[in-house]
Amino acid sequence: MEPAAGGVWLNGEKLTLRSVDTMFRAAQLVGQAVREVFAADGASLSAQGVGFDISLMLGGQIGGQAGAGRRGSS
């Protein structure tokens, strides 16, 4: 599968970080994007002796949803 321009296919849907409805889906989307890049470029990188190592931190808030620090009333 080739990486999709303007989105990533995940479970039959073409999604972007702007279109997901939960942070969990955002994490799944980022993971799928990384897998697609590896599928497209991993063999070439390996042939050149370059490893495919990645560390990511994903954070944010989905519009309208309360963040972890804002749950409940004060």
Side-chain angles (χ1 to χ4, degrees), residues 28-69:
Q28 288 181 313
L29 183 67
V30 170
Q32 182 61 31
V34 170
R35 286 187 289 278
E36 288 184 15
V37 170
F38 180 76
D41 299 329
S44 296
L45 291 170
S46 182
Q48 297 298 315
V50 177
F52 188 88
D53 300 316
I54 185 168
S55 296
L56 297 170
M57 182 179 290
L58 176 67
Q61 178 180 341
I62 302 296
Q65 294 183 359

